Amino acid sequence: MASAARREVILAESARLFSHRGISATTIREIGDAVGLNSGTLYHYFNSKDAIVSEILISFLTDLVKRYAAAVQQQESARERLCRIVRASLESADAHPYATEIYQNEFANLVSLPDYTEIAAAVNAAHDVWYRVTEDGVRNGEFNSGIDSFEFQRLMRECVFMSVRWHRETLSKDIDSLTATLTAIFLNGFAPAPERVTSKRPSSKRAAVPERAPVQGIELQENEPADAGDSSDIRAELESLRTEMKAIREAIRERPTAH
């Protein structure tokens, strides 16, 4: 096997082991066993376990930033660009299996890597793309200016990459549906879409009937059409209520006062 191909196999198997077992719990020997090499031979390709981790993450992040740049270069709405960013995130995560999981699991320990500066710079560049597009959407009125744009993009970004973990085994075929779902939830919300209400012109012979309030916990549908018996039923109820109130007032007047 050619040297470049062997390196790719080592990186792929290491990423899988790091994701499942953790970096500190995975040994060079275990990586060697997974790829059919002894530890000494493995060091011909990488001089340390940290070097393997760094290359996995830098390869993923470099690709991610490149995909983001392509996603936002077109003059589209902020919503369209944000949708492209979501898709680019999922496509890059699919092209670099387990890199996102390693980053999430090992975030607190990455600072000890010898190439951390390069990793941090790529992460900041990626985050900046999310923030700039979100800010554009707020400025042009596409997004809600009453919500902190930094917190919004961070929540959306984290949810996108967390979904990779849940869909790892089927990510390739789930990219379309995940992009649509994540974009819709964050930009449209989960509440039902408002229905278009068409107001009817009232008859010239009678005033429009005001909306009725819910009675005894029973909700009435908005703009529910009144049937022919509604008005007569209401008049009968009012007449009955007047009769009852009259009887109550008479009973109160006739009741002897206390001394």
Side-chain angles (χ1 to χ4, degrees):
M1 182 181 295
S3 178
R6 177 70 74 181
R7 283 176 60 88
E8 290 303 315
V9 171
I10 294 171
L11 290 169
E13 285 300 313
S14 297
R16 181 182 62 81
L17 290 170
F18 294 154
S19 172
H20 292 164
R21 293 173 52 81
I23 294 174
S24 61
T26 302
T27 65
I28 286 291
R29 181 171 183 174
E30 287 172 326
I31 296 172
D33 290 343
V35 297
L37 296 174
N38 60 48
S39 301
T41 305
L42 191 64
Y43 282 114
H44 289 303
Y45 297 94
F46 296 95
N47 60 20
S48 68
K49 185 170 64 174
D50 283 350
I52 298 175
V53 177
S54 292
E55 184 154 342
I56 291 170
L57 294 178
I58 290 173
S59 177
F60 160 63
L61 292 167
T62 300
D63 178 57
L64 183 66
V65 172
K66 185 182 297 183
R67 290 176 189 264
Y68 281 179
V72 300
Q73 67 180 357
Q74 300 185 42
Q75 295 301 313
E76 297 177 312
S77 67
R79 182 190 180 96
E80 290 169 324
R81 282 177 286 155
L82 203 56
C83 182
R84 288 182 180 275
I85 291 172
V86 172
R87 175 178 290 278
S89 302
L90 298 174
E91 289 175 343
S92 186
D94 185 46
H96 300 268
Y98 304 112
T100 59
E101 291 92 327
I102 294 170
Y103 181 83
Q104 292 163 347
N105 295 343
E106 305 287 345
F107 177 77
N109 303 318
L110 297 182
V111 67
S112 63
L113 294 175
D115 296 316
Y116 176 74
T117 301
E118 186 175 354
I119 292 171
V123 169
N124 288 334
H127 289 181
D128 187 57
V129 175
W130 280 88
Y131 181 68
R132 284 189 287 106
V133 172
T134 305
E135 280 285 276
D136 285 348
V138 172
R139 279 194 298 268
N140 64 29
E142 289 184 64
F143 302 153
N144 188 345
S145 61
I147 296 176
D148 187 300
S149 56
F150 177 80
E151 291 297 335
F152 171 83
Q153 61 85 28
R154 180 163 65 176
L155 285 168
M156 186 175 186
R157 169 167 46 81
E158 291 298 324
C159 189
V160 168
F161 284 110
M162 189 59 70
S163 71
V164 172
R165 184 187 297 270
W166 305 328
H167 293 262
R168 170 53 69 193
E169 300 304 319
T170 58
L171 186 57
S172 295
K173 69 180 184 64
D174 292 345
I175 288 176
D176 287 343
S177 60
L178 273 176
T179 299
T181 298
L182 289 162
T183 305
I185 288 175
F186 277 90
L187 298 185
N188 298 343
F190 199 50
E195 297 181 1
R196 187 180 298 277
V197 178
T198 303
S199 58
K200 296 182 178 180
R201 183 178 179 181
S203 169
S204 59
K205 295 183 180 180
R206 58 180 289 190
V209 179
E211 292 185 9
R212 290 170 289 158
V215 178
Q216 296 181 349
I218 301 175
E219 293 186 0
L220 300 177
Q221 296 295 322
E222 187 178 357
N223 297 324
E224 179 183 4
D227 55 38
D230 277 352
S231 57
S232 60
D233 290 343
I234 294 173
R235 283 195 294 270
E237 290 176 5
L238 289 173
E239 187 61 35
S240 175
L241 181 61
R242 290 193 190 98
T243 301
E244 292 176 3
M245 291 298 295
K246 182 178 179 181
I248 292 172
R249 284 196 295 269
E250 290 176 354
I252 292 174
R253 283 198 299 268
E254 293 174 1
R255 187 174 61 184
T257 57
H259 296 284

